[in-house]
Amino acid sequence: MESRHFGIGTVPYRLEAVLIKAGSDVVVVAAGGTKPHIGATAVAAPRSSLTGRGNSASVSVICQTGHCDDELARSAAKELASAWGCTVTLTVGLHIDAAADEDLYVLRLNFAQLLAQVAEAVPERKDG
């Protein structure tokens, strides 16, 4: 299995991701803040868009009780599976104790930038 490591930001907003190619599928674990953890996991399976234009993905999510990582996991897994044309499992766990709105904003911004790094990492994307 091939793997790659990514990172962005500085403490307490530091986020890291590991991408593992499992055959033609991909597993991504993204975690950070002051307490990296497993907050939510999404599995996205690629499919043709229901509009008939382009690609999309069907997504299933498991979220730990009391965690708010599910929407990040869902949207990121869907984006990657749609772009790459393979099944993507994505686990997210971002946390800062007593986070203010600004802290959450910075974590989400860093997550988007981390996701952009990951999105460029898989060289063989399927079209169609």
Side-chain angles (χ1 to χ4, degrees), residues 17-18 55 83:
V18 176
N55 299 319

Side-chain angles (χ1 to χ4, degrees), residues 32 61 71-72 88 108-109 121:
V61 179
E71 284 304 316
L72 291 175
V88 173
R108 286 186 184 110
L109 181 65

Side-chain angles (χ1 to χ4, degrees), residues 1-100:
M1 287 188 288
E2 174 188 340
S3 66
R4 295 206 41 204
H5 187 267
F6 307 87
I8 191 160
T10 57
V11 176
Y13 306 108
R14 175 81 179 156
L15 304 184
E16 296 184 42
V18 176
L19 176 151
I20 301 168
K21 286 195 72 170
S24 61
D25 299 324
V26 176
V27 177
V28 178
V29 177
T34 57
K35 290 185 181 175
H37 63 285
I38 296 173
T41 298
V43 178
R47 61 170 169 77
S48 296
S49 172
L50 298 177
T51 66
R53 294 172 298 205
N55 299 319
S56 188
S58 295
V59 185
S60 296
V61 179
I62 299 171
C63 187
Q64 293 273 36
T65 302
H67 291 260
C68 300
D69 304 294
D70 52 323
E71 284 304 316
L72 291 175
R74 182 187 186 287
S75 62
K78 183 175 183 177
E79 178 183 328
L80 296 177
S82 298
W84 294 339
C86 67
T87 299
V88 173
T89 298
L90 198 142
T91 297
V92 179
L94 314 180
H95 183 84
I96 293 179
D97 283 334

